[in-house]
Amino acid sequence: AEDRFPAADRFPAAAAAASPAALPSLVTPPPPAAPAAAEEDPRPHIHALATAGRHPEAATLAQAWEAHALQACGNDSPEATHWREIRADLARMAGDFPLATRLWISAGRTRLAQQPPDATEVLAAAAGALYCWTQVHDHRAAAEAGPELVGLLDALPTMDRDLMARVRHRLESLERISSGG
């Protein structure tokens, strides 16, 4: 899979596709675990940790920033959604595809509630969720995430019918395997 960090100062892909002015402002005081300067963008530091293989540290920092955005702006805010996407991408980089899938689905649903179904950010979140779901090898985890993924993908009018048929077929197979049938 391609790296969703196209530049050290921007990520994930959904945010990179937006204009720089659309990226959330992070000038509020950072959580204690974040870099010291309040006006410093923490994303390059988090990205550097992740690319150095320091996934737990990167995930902890991103989670702290998401918690801060949730508290300051609310669960459905663009800032919180942006940090959820970053956490999803970090989980993907760490190989935690079940978590990445759940986070991408959550971000996609939040974006879909606020943006048109063909918005770049909505489509990027759906693509991230789908890719990560295809990488989940634990049948039960994939079967559990499948219905929410299908629900998200069904809401996208541009979704390829053949792709949806393959997703549904995989989900049906996973559900049979998980139920022992």
Side-chain angles (χ1 to χ4, degrees):
E2 70 178 41
D3 190 351
R4 297 186 80 79
F5 296 105
D9 62 343
R10 277 187 216 130
F11 66 94
S19 69
L23 294 175
S25 172
L26 299 174
V27 295
T28 55
E39 294 182 15
E40 181 180 332
D41 183 348
R43 294 172 296 175
H45 176 69
I46 293 169
H47 178 257
L49 288 172
T51 57
R54 296 167 60 184
H55 300 292
E57 291 173 70
T60 298
L61 280 174
Q63 194 165 20
W65 277 98
E66 181 185 17
H68 178 71
L70 288 168
Q71 184 178 37
C73 306
N75 188 49
D76 294 337
S77 68
E79 295 84 0
T81 304
H82 176 71
W83 282 104
R84 197 167 305 121
E85 291 168 337
I86 289 172
R87 288 185 53 227
D89 220 28
L90 291 170
R92 178 198 57 83
M93 290 177 73
D96 188 346
F97 293 107
L99 176 60
T101 300
R102 288 190 309 272
L103 290 168
W104 276 121
I105 290 170
S106 174
R109 287 205 169 282
T110 302
R111 288 209 178 269
L112 189 57
Q114 301 170 358
Q115 295 175 273
D118 61 348
T120 301
E121 294 86 357
V122 173
L123 296 175
L130 178 58
Y131 170 77
C132 291
W133 184 69
T134 66
Q135 302 306 303
V136 176
H137 298 296
D138 177 279
H139 296 227
R140 180 156 289 155
E144 288 173 3
E148 285 190 59
L149 175 65
V150 167
L152 174 63
L153 297 176
D154 274 342
L156 307 177
T158 59
M159 186 50 83
D160 180 291
R161 289 180 190 260
D162 291 335
L163 176 61
M164 282 305 300
R166 289 192 307 271
V167 168
R168 283 191 174 92
H169 177 73
R170 179 177 188 233
L171 178 57
E172 290 168 5
S173 298
L174 290 166
E175 288 171 340
R176 276 195 307 276
I177 291 168
S178 294
S179 67

